[in-house]
C-alpha cells in the first residue's frame, strides 16, 4: 500500500477549468484546451472539466447552424483526441455536435486518444436572454444511442457514467448548464445510479447575484446527492453584445466548498482539488435513505450505461490539494465558529433546562474542580437556571479536594462559584479516601507512596458518591461534567464516578471545542465582567485530573501524557465516528493537517503558544493509543446517562449515534496501523 499517494488513499484530483474563448474559431480553442490539458496532466489531474461550448464559444448564435463551423469543430475534436494520447487526464470538453437531423449542445469526454462518450444537454433554456432551442435539440430523450464523431462510434446520451477501473469510486457523470437548474437534474438520477463526481459544463452569462445562485445550486446538489460537483463556466472572450461573462469555477463535495477561482479573470484559470471518494462512499452508506430513493426511481436509474476507463494514476507523494482542518469540531471561519458555539451552548443549556423542568424543580448538583469541563458545565447550569427564572443559588457547587488538588485550581473553583452566585461548599474527601484505602489493604493505607489506578479511582469514585448522596439529601440531580473526548478514550471512572450522573451536559462536546465555547461565553457577555475574567484565566490551565501527588523533581500528572494530545485524538474521533475511515487514511490526513506548524489555518482566538506540529511517528503512536482505548472502553459508553448530542460528527450515546459491542476487539485496526502506516 502506497501510504503517501493521495490516489491510493481514496482521493482523485479534479480540475474545473475556464479559459479565454476565440469566437467561432475551433482550431484556436482546441489549442487553448490542450494547453490547459497538458498543465492538468503535469498536476496529476484525473478529470478536467471545461466550459460549455468552449470549442466555439457559447455566444456565436446562428453560427451554430453553419456547416463550416460544425465541420471545423469535428476537426478540432479529432486534434484534441490525437494530442491526448499521452495525457493521463480525462478531458470533458463542450462542443456543438451533429447527430441525425439536429445539432446538440454536448460534452465530449476524451481520454488517452479516444472519445469515451458524448453527453448532450438535456434541458434547453428558451426564456429571458436564452434562445437555445433555435439551434439545438434537447437531449433528454436520447438514451441508449450511439454517435459517430471524429471517426469514432461512441455512446451518446445523458445516461452515461464513466467508471474508472483503477481509481475505485471515481464514477463521472456529465450534465450541461441548465440541466442543473431544473427540479430533477440528470445528475440526481446519475448519483442514484452510482455517479460520485458530477460535472457541469456551463455557459451561464453573469448578471447581478447569479454567481450566488450558482453556488447555492452546486452546493445543494453536492449535499443532496452526497457527491462532488464540478462547475466550470464560460468567461473571457464571449460576445458582450448583450451579455457579460465571469468564468466562475468551483468544486463542492457533500456540501463543502473545496475550491473556486476568481471571477472575471484575465486569462485561463484552473480550480484543482482532491476529491475524497471514500468520504462520498461512506456518506451514502450511512444515509440509508439515499439508496431508498434509488429504489423509488429504479426504472430511470437502471437505464444508465457504464463506460469503463483506466487512469493509470501516479504513485508516490503528489501532495494533497484540499484543506484538512486540524480541528474537525472547530471551524476556522470566525462567523461559522461563533454560530457553532452559539448553537452548542444553547443546545446544552436548553437540554438541561428541559430536564430540570421535566423532573419538577430539582436543584443542580455539580462537582467543580477549576478545570475546563466542570467550569463549562457550571456556567451551563447557571444559564439554565436563569432561563427558568430560578435563582442561581439552586445550583449546588461542591469542590472536593483530594490528595493532589492544587491550590490554583481549587482557588478558581471557589472564586468562580462565588462570582456566579451559586451555593458553594468545600467537601474534603481525603479522610474518607484514606479510610477506604486502609479498608482495601492498599499500600497507601500503610503509608507507602503507591499511586496506582485504585488510588486514583478511590478519589474519583468518592467524589461522585458524595454528589449522588448530596443530590438525594438536598433534592437535586447530579449534573455530569465529562466530555465527548473523555468518553471516546475511556478517561473516566466507571459506575459511581465521572462516567455517571443524572444528566451530562458535556457528553456531546469534544475537548477541543470546550475552550472555544468558554471564549464565546466571555466575548458575548453571557456573564458579568468578573466571571468573564476568571473564565479567561481558567482557559490557560493545563489539563490534569489532579489525582496523583506531585513529587519533587517530577512533572505534575498531565492527562495528555497518558491518553495522547486531544488535538490528535479529537481529529481521529471525528473521522472514526462520523466517517468510518480506516486507520491509514486517518494517519494520512492527520499527517497533512499537523506536520507543518505554519501551514493552514488555526481557529480564531487560538493562542500562538499553544500551536504545535506532530510528526508522522507521533501521529502513528497516538493513533494506536486511540484504537486500544476506544475498543477497551466501550462498556463505559454503553451505560451512559442522558445528555444532548451537540456535534454533527456524532455522540457516544448507545441511544444515539454510536452502537458497538463492549467485547469487540480492535485487532484489525491495529494490524492495519502496523502494516500500512510508516513511522516517517
Amino acid at each position: 500500500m502506497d501510504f503517501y499517494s493521495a490516489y491510493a488513499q481514496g482521493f482523485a484530483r479534479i480540475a474545473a477549468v475556464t479559459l479565454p474563448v476565440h469566437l467561432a474559431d475551433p482550431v484556436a480553442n482546441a489549442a487553448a484546451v490542450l494547453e490547459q490539458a497538458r498543465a492538468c496532466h503535469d498536476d496529476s489531474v484525473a478529470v478536467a472539466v471545461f466550459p460549455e461550448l468552449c470549442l466555439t464559444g457559447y455566444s456565436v448564435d446562428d453560427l451554430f447552424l453553419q456547416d463550416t463551423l460544425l465541420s471545423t469543430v469535428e476537426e478540432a475534436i479529432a486534434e484534441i483526441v490525437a494530442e491526448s494520447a499521452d495525457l493521463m487526464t480525462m478531458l470533458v470538453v463542450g462542443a456543438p455536435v451533429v447527430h441525425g437531423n439536429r445539432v446538440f449542445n454536448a460534452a465530449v469526454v476524451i481520454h488517452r486518444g479516444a472519445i469515451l462518450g458524448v453527453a448532450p444537454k438535456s434541458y434547453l433554456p428558451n426564456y429571458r436572454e436564452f434562445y437555445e432551442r433555435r439551434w439545438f435539440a434537447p437531449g433528454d430523450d436520447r438514451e441508449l444511442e450511439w454517435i459517430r464523431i471524429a471517426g469514432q462510434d461512441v455512446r451518446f446520451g445523458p445516461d452515461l457514467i464513466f467508471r474508472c477501473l483503477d481509481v475505485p469510486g471515481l464514477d463521472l457523470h456529465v450534465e450541461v448548464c441548465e440541466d442543473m437548474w431544473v427540479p430533477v437534474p440528470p445528475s440526481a438520477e446519475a448519483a442514484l445510479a452510482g455517479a460520485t463526481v458530477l460535472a457541469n459544463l456551463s455557459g451561464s452569462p453573469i448578471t447581478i447575484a447569479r454567481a450566488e445562485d450558482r453556488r447555492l445550486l452546486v452546493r445543494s446538489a453536492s449535499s443532496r446527492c452526497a457527491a462532488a460537483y464540478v462547475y466550470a463556466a464560460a468567461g473571457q472572450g464571449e460576445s458582450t453584445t448583450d451579455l457579460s461573462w465571469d468564468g466562475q469555477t468551483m468544486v463542492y463535495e457533500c456540501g463543502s466548498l473545496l475550491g473556486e477561482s476568481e471571477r472575471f479573470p484575465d486569462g485561463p484559470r484552473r480550480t484543482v482539488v482532491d476529491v475524497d471518494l471514500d468520504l462520498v462512499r461512506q456518506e451514502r452508506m450511512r444515509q440509508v435513505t439515499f439508496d431508498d430513493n434509488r429504489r423509488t426511481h429504479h426504472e430511470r436509474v437502471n437505464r444508465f450505461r457504464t463506460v469503463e476507463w483506466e487512469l493509470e494514476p501516479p504513485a508516490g507523494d503528489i501532495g494533497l490539494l484540499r484543506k484538512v482542518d486540524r480541528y474537525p469540531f472547530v471551524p476556522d471561519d470566525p462567523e461559522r465558529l461563533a454560530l457553532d458555539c452559539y448553537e452548542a451552548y444553547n443546545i446544552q443549556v436548553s437540554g438541561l433546562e428541559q430536564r430540570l423542568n421535566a423532573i419538577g424543580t430539582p436543584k443542580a448538583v455539580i462537582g467543580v474542580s477549576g478545570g475546563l469541563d466542570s467550569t463549562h458545565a457550571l456556567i451551563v447550569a447557571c444559564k439554565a437556571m436563569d432561563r427558568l427564572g430560578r435563582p442561581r443559588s439552586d445550583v449546588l457547587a461542591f469542590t472536593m479536594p483530594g490528595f493532589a488538588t492544587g491550590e490554583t485550581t481549587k482557588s478558581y473553583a471557589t472564586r468562580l462559584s462565588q462570582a456566579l452566585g451559586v451555593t458553594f461548599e468545600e467537601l474534603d474527601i481525603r479522610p474518607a479516601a484514606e479510610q477506604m484505602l486502609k479498608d482495601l489493604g492498599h499500600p497507601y493505607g500503610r503509608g507507602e507512596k503507591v499511586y496506582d489506578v485504585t488510588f486514583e479511582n478511590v478519589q474519583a469514585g468518592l467524589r461522585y458518591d458524595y454528589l449522588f448522596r448530596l443530590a438525594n439529601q438536598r433534592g437535586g440531580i447530579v449534573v455530569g461534567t465529562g466530555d465527548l473526548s473523555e468518553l471516546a478514550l475511556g478517561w473516566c471512572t466507571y459506575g459511581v464516578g465521572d462516567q455517571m450522573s443524572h444528566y451530562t451536559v458535556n457528553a456531546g462536546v469534544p475537548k477541543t471545542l470546550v475552550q472555544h465555547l468558554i471564549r464565546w461565553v466571555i466575548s458575548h457577555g453571557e456573564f458579568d465582567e468578573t466571571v468573564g475574567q476568571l473564565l479567561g484565566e481558567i482557559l490557560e490551565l493545563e489539563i490534569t485530573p489532579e489525582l496523583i501527588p506531585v513529587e519533587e523533581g517530577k512533572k505534575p500528572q498531565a492527562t495528555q501524557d497518558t491518553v495522547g494530545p486531544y488535538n490528535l485524538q479529537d481529529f481521529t474521533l471525528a473521522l472514526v465516528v462520523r466517517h468510518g475511515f480506516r486507520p491509514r487514511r486517518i494517519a494520512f490526513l492527520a499527517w497533512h493537517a499537523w506536520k507543518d506548524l505554519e501551514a493552514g489555518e488555526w481557529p480564531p482566538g487560538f493562542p500562538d503558544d499553544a500551536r504545535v506540529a506532530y510528526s508522522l511517528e507521533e501521529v502513528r503512536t497516538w493513533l494506536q493509543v486511540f484504537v486500544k482505548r476506544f475498543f477497551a472502553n466501550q462498556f463505559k459508553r454503553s451505560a451512559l446517562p442522558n445528555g444532548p448530542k451537540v456535534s454533527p460528527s456524532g455522540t457516544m450515546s448507545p441511544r444515539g449515534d454510536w452502537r458497538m459491542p463492549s467485547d469487540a476487539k480492535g485487532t484489525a485496526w491495529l494490524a492495519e496501523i502496523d502494516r500500512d502506516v510508516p513511522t516517517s
Side-chain angles (χ1 to χ4, degrees), residues 21-23 56-61 129 203-207 234-247 264-265:
V21 70
H22 304 270
L23 285 177
T56 58
Y58 179 88
S59 54
V60 299
D61 295 345
E129 66 264 38
S204 191
I206 187 64
T207 54
Q236 190 177 14
E238 292 285 358
S239 172
T240 56
T241 300
D242 294 299
L243 298 167
S244 190
W245 317 80
D246 67 335
F264 303 100

Side-chain angles (χ1 to χ4, degrees), residues 536-547:
E537 294 176 21
I538 291 170
L539 283 170
E540 303 300 320
L541 298 176
E542 183 174 9
I543 302 169
T544 172
E546 291 192 319
L547 293 171

Side-chain angles (χ1 to χ4, degrees), residues 163-214:
R163 176 160 298 156
C164 186
L165 297 178
D166 54 354
V167 180
L170 178 52
D171 299 303
L172 175 75
H173 177 264
V174 182
E175 62 186 8
V176 182
C177 201
E178 185 74 10
D179 293 345
M180 178 179 72
W181 296 74
V182 300
V184 184
S187 58
E189 295 178 337
L192 294 175
T196 56
V197 178
L198 311 174
N200 187 293
L201 296 76
S202 179
S204 191
I206 187 64
T207 54
I208 291 173
R210 183 170 288 173
E212 286 306 309
D213 290 343
R214 296 178 193 143

Side-chain angles (χ1 to χ4, degrees), residues 458-603:
V458 161
Q459 297 171 78
L462 275 172
R463 285 178 174 138
Y464 270 78
D465 199 352
Y466 275 117
L467 288 175
F468 276 102
R469 303 298 74 81
L470 286 163
N472 295 153
Q473 182 190 50
R474 304 188 188 188
I477 64 169
V478 177
V479 177
T481 62
D483 63 47
L484 179 66
S485 308
E486 292 174 341
L487 292 169
L489 294 164
W491 193 245
C492 52
T493 301
Y494 183 74
V496 184
D498 54 338
Q499 177 263 349
M500 187 49 62
S501 65
H502 289 112
Y503 194 76
T504 175
V505 293
N506 288 340
V509 179
K511 186 74 76 177
T512 49
L513 181 59
V514 173
Q515 60 178 296
H516 297 281
L517 291 175
I518 294 176
R519 286 195 185 98
W520 181 87
V521 166
I522 298 169
S523 64
H524 282 74
E526 294 291 305
F527 298 93
D528 63 35
E529 187 176 344
T530 301
V531 171
Q533 183 175 345
L534 283 169
L535 292 175
E537 294 176 21
I538 291 170
L539 283 170
E540 303 300 320
L541 298 176
E542 183 174 9
I543 302 169
T544 172
E546 291 192 319
L547 293 171
I548 297 177
V550 179
E551 297 186 50
E552 187 176 351
K554 291 187 177 181
K555 179 184 175 184
Q557 184 183 18
T559 298
Q560 295 180 93
D561 290 346
T562 301
V563 301
Y566 281 114
N567 292 334
L568 289 178
Q569 304 304 42
D570 275 3
F571 184 94
T572 299
L573 173 61
L575 300 190
V576 167
V577 175
R578 179 67 178 84
H579 300 301
F581 286 167
R582 55 195 312 155
R584 70 188 186 206
R585 285 195 102 234
I586 295 172
F588 176 79
L589 290 168
W591 177 61
H592 276 281
W594 287 98
K595 65 181 179 179
D596 186 349
L597 186 69
E598 303 300 327
E601 300 175 23
W602 292 85

Side-chain angles (χ1 to χ4, degrees), residues 1-23:
M1 188 266 167
D2 189 351
F3 175 83
Y4 296 98
S5 166
Y7 280 101
Q9 293 281 10
F11 296 91
R13 189 156 293 175
I14 308 294
V17 185
T18 190
L19 68 177
V21 70
H22 304 270
L23 285 177

